[in-house]
Amino acid sequence: MRRTAFLAAMCVLGAVTSARAESRSVRIDYEAAHACPDERRFVELTRDRIRPWATIDEHGELVARVRAEPEEGGFAGRLSLEDTAGTSLGVRAIQDADCEEVVLALALFLAVALEAEAANPHAAPSTRLEAPPGPSLEVTPPPARPRADARAPRPPPPAQKASAIDWRLVARAQGVTGRMPDAALGGAIALELGPRHRSSMLRPYGSLGIDAVPYSERREGRGQLELGWGAVFGRVCAGFDVSGRSDGAVGGWLEPWACGRAEAGGLQAASRGYAVNRTELLPWYAAGLEAGLAVRLSQLFSLGVFANAMAPIVRHELVLGDVRVFRAPIVTAEAGLELKVRIW
């Protein structure tokens, strides 16, 4: 599908051989599903495939209406170009399983139309953006005015195939209780993987990371304890996207989510200031539930809050001399803030 759209765009761009006139200003009216690139990315894709053209203006002389919506088995895209009087200059439509491919094709179609409009600004509207008879991706080359000093526009570079997996980096800051003698501050970092595209608002995903309280101190009699806790954790989660717009277009949204979580690690304790000092590493294994709420700030970033409750499988004990200083409780907990960054 992408290769067909690319070859079609190449044919049209190769046919535009006249010197470039100044393009009319353009207003972009863009709406797309959550899984699709946002408006800024669409504009970047268009600009990458066309020689410089007029700055986008809210009151532009041309209006490009772009829609990318989910449908069964994939996404449907539609581009319509109009003048300020509302006269249609043509419509293009495309379908694909990957929304990024759909948006890329629509950007190619708009780039072709703008090149043709700049090269032949007085042509009849129907020659600028040919309306397709069906789902075919064939594009009819617009007529060009040949000139001696004409140069063909630079062909668009091939786009890279988008990954089917959504990769995110998760960073956390939290309060921890029950994993060591006193409540403490800790942090976590994890890699999260999930499907990039889905047909419903349910988003399954999983993550693997490291959770740690790097240092804590507690006084016991004449001496003190230096403590550190850490564990590797894994999660299997389900999130539910709550759109900020009823038409499903990109906008602000909330995502409540819930996870099953398991972790394995240990508590390290070192005594200082006693007649006999020692260091111990106590094992830690636990399983439990985690829940939270995320707010998407952009296509790349989201910020959220979370809390979990974990039941230790091994309830470790810390004994100093003949005194038991600490024993893990039946349920431990964490709560804090998290930042997610989409990295691929």
Side-chain angles (χ1 to χ4, degrees), residues 16-24 113-125 127-128 142-147:
V16 181
T17 57
S18 61
R20 183 183 181 280
E22 176 147 0
S23 296
R24 290 186 281 178
L114 292 174
E115 283 284 0
E117 200 278 334
N120 199 4
H122 302 293
T127 65
R128 298 183 191 164
R145 294 181 179 179
R147 295 184 183 178

Side-chain angles (χ1 to χ4, degrees), residues 53-343:
W53 45 283
T55 302
I56 295 175
D57 190 344
E58 291 185 1
H59 306 286
E61 299 169 272
L62 298 175
V63 181
R65 304 189 188 280
V66 185
R67 302 292 183 269
E69 300 175 345
E71 65 173 16
E72 185 175 357
F75 294 85
R78 186 175 185 273
L79 166 68
S80 64
L81 193 62
E82 303 172 0
D83 60 18
T84 52
T87 303
S88 175
L89 305 183
V91 178
R92 295 297 295 160
I94 186 172
Q95 296 177 339
D96 198 285
D98 190 332
C99 192
E100 292 201 10
E101 298 299 322
V102 169
V103 172
L104 171 60
L106 296 177
L108 285 170
F109 294 149
L110 180 56
V112 168
L114 292 174
E115 283 284 0
E117 200 278 334
N120 199 4
H122 302 293
S126 61
T127 65
R128 298 183 191 164
L129 191 59
E130 182 74 15
S136 170
L137 292 179
E138 284 190 27
V139 180
T140 302
R145 294 181 179 179
R147 295 184 183 178
D149 59 346
R151 291 182 300 173
R154 184 177 53 191
Q160 296 182 350
K161 179 66 177 178
S163 170
I165 300 177
D166 188 38
W167 299 72
R168 303 187 187 193
L169 185 66
V170 182
R172 289 180 162 184
Q174 70 246 359
V176 179
T177 182
R179 288 161 166 80
M180 50 204 317
D182 299 308
L185 295 177
I189 189 167
L191 184 63
E192 179 181 298
L193 288 78
R196 185 172 293 256
H197 307 298
R198 56 194 184 278
S199 58
S200 70
M201 299 181 74
L202 182 66
R203 185 174 76 92
Y205 61 93
S207 64
L208 184 67
I210 299 174
D211 196 350
V213 179
Y215 182 80
S216 181
E217 185 176 285
R218 179 175 182 175
R219 290 203 163 273
E220 291 291 338
R222 298 171 300 168
Q224 66 182 27
L225 289 176
E226 295 178 354
L227 304 159
W229 176 89
V232 175
F233 68 90
R235 301 185 306 156
V236 177
C237 307
F240 187 77
D241 288 350
V242 180
S243 175
R245 299 177 58 169
S246 59
D247 57 6
V250 172
W253 53 257
L254 299 176
E255 183 188 54
W257 51 265
C259 303
R261 170 171 168 146
E263 55 190 31
L267 170 69
Q268 182 170 335
S271 61
R272 299 286 184 268
Y274 297 94
V276 177
N277 296 301
R278 70 177 189 275
T279 299
E280 289 191 23
L281 181 61
L282 306 175
W284 172 264
Y285 306 100
L289 299 175
E290 187 171 283
L293 179 67
V295 179
R296 190 176 78 176
L297 305 178
S298 70
Q299 289 284 338
L300 298 179
F301 301 97
S302 64
L303 185 66
V305 294
F306 74 94
N308 64 48
M310 307 293 294
I313 299 173
V314 176
R315 296 179 63 192
H316 54 213
E317 291 186 349
L318 179 60
V319 179
L320 189 63
D322 296 330
V323 179
R324 186 174 71 185
V325 177
F326 167 69
R327 186 184 184 192
I330 297 175
V331 177
T332 69
E334 286 183 334
L337 301 174
E338 71 173 16
L339 174 67
K340 291 185 181 181
V341 182
R342 180 178 171 184
I343 58 177

